Amino acid sequence: MHALPRSHFVRYLCLSFSAVMGLRYRFTFIDEAPVLAVPRSHSCPARQKDPGPEEQALSWQVACLPDRAQRIREPAPAPTPAPSTGSVGHPQVCRRPCVYWARGACRLGSACGYCHMPHYRRDNLDKINRRVVHAMCEAELLAVIIPHLRRMTDGTELHQAKSLVDLLQRELALRRVCRASSVEDLKRLEKTLRRMSVPCLIGLITSRRWKGPLPQVLQEAMTSLREEFALAQHSATQ
């Protein structure tokens, strides 16, 4: 048996070692032998199960998402004004706006005691004006409100409107005016009173605790004014 040269023996050992350990000898370097990818066997796809009721409901909800997003982006249509008992005399002597109609519909319909017409102006007193009104005496409150009521009723031919102003004027003549508000507070309050309707101005008076039947008389006068206003509107439509 002939002995192998040293170089051939080293090469023989490297090839044997690489065959066992998965290595290969290339360009005087020992690298890992590439693993040949085993091709995946072709098989039939798994059989799909019929969707259950929960999956069908989820699929329907997902399909409806684009329509819901479109409805959210579009502004909601304003409710069509409908006549109601509280809408008589809009916007001068009508009642407060109906919160249910503003949301879309009112179950009372024409029998609702609040106004079903649009109200664009905000006629509420802020915190500072409420404090000023609360600090006023009864005579000063009447002296501030009467000019606004007269301004709103001078151009009308309603007898009850003039009677209402005359009633407050007589009540003011029986009292002594005491000025407790500053000029700055009165100017700020005047800006808000110009935007208020007749019922809101009367509400500032009836919300006080008066000695005598003045609040009840004013409420009856407002009822008569609305009835007269309704008759005037009915006569104008005929």
Side-chain angles (χ1 to χ4, degrees):
M1 184 175 180
H2 299 283
L4 294 174
R6 182 178 179 83
S7 59
H8 291 277
F9 181 74
V10 172
R11 183 177 180 85
Y12 173 76
L13 290 178
C14 291
L15 293 176
S16 301
F17 183 76
S18 62
V20 175
M21 301 300 296
L23 303 177
R24 67 174 181 176
Y25 177 79
R26 184 182 182 187
F27 302 119
T28 68
F29 292 98
I30 300 176
D31 298 330
E32 294 183 359
V35 179
L36 299 178
V38 180
R40 186 175 181 180
S41 60
H42 298 280
S43 59
C44 296
R47 182 179 179 181
Q48 297 182 356
K49 300 180 180 179
D50 295 334
E54 295 182 358
E55 295 182 0
Q56 292 180 356
L58 291 176
S59 301
W60 179 80
Q61 291 180 1
V62 173
C64 295
L65 287 178
D67 296 337
R68 294 182 180 179
Q70 184 66 22
R71 287 196 300 268
I72 292 175
R73 287 193 296 265
E74 295 178 354
T80 305
S84 63
T85 304
S87 303
V88 176
H90 177 83
Q92 290 83 3
V93 297
C94 64
R95 294 187 178 272
R96 295 170 55 186
C98 178
V99 295
Y100 296 103
W101 184 257
R103 295 175 182 174
C106 177
R107 60 183 180 86
L108 298 179
S110 59
C112 180
Y114 296 93
C115 185
H116 284 185
M117 304 296 288
H119 289 251
Y120 301 104
R121 298 179 303 178
R122 184 176 181 181
D123 48 12
N124 295 328
L125 299 179
D126 57 11
K127 184 177 181 179
I128 298 178
N129 286 330
R130 288 197 301 268
R131 177 181 56 81
V132 173
V133 171
H134 182 73
M136 286 182 175
C137 63
E138 298 174 351
E140 186 181 7
L141 181 62
L142 292 176
V144 172
I145 293 179
I146 287 177
H148 294 280
L149 291 174
R150 183 179 291 109
R151 173 180 54 83
M152 300 178 67
T153 57
D154 278 346
T156 62
E157 298 180 356
L158 301 177
H159 176 71
Q160 294 295 334
K162 299 178 180 179
S163 300
L164 180 63
V165 177
D166 294 340
L167 172 64
L168 294 176
Q169 192 67 46
R170 291 193 300 268
E171 188 70 24
L172 177 60
L174 300 176
R175 301 175 184 273
R176 182 181 179 181
V177 180
C178 53
R179 297 292 181 180
S181 304
S182 62
V183 178
E184 291 77 9
D185 291 340
L186 290 177
K187 288 182 179 180
R188 179 184 175 88
L189 180 61
E190 290 286 341
K191 294 180 181 180
T192 305
L193 295 180
R194 292 193 192 100
R195 301 192 303 266
M196 299 182 72
S197 60
V198 175
C200 292
L201 294 174
I202 298 298
L204 293 179
I205 301 175
T206 57
S207 61
R208 302 288 292 269
R209 294 182 179 180
W210 296 81
K211 295 181 180 180
L214 180 61
Q216 183 177 358
V217 173
L218 289 178
Q219 292 178 0
E220 294 176 356
M222 285 299 303
T223 302
S224 302
L225 179 59
R226 292 189 179 98
E227 293 176 356
E228 185 180 7
F229 204 102
L231 292 176
Q233 286 183 337
H234 182 70
S235 300
T237 55
Q238 289 183 350

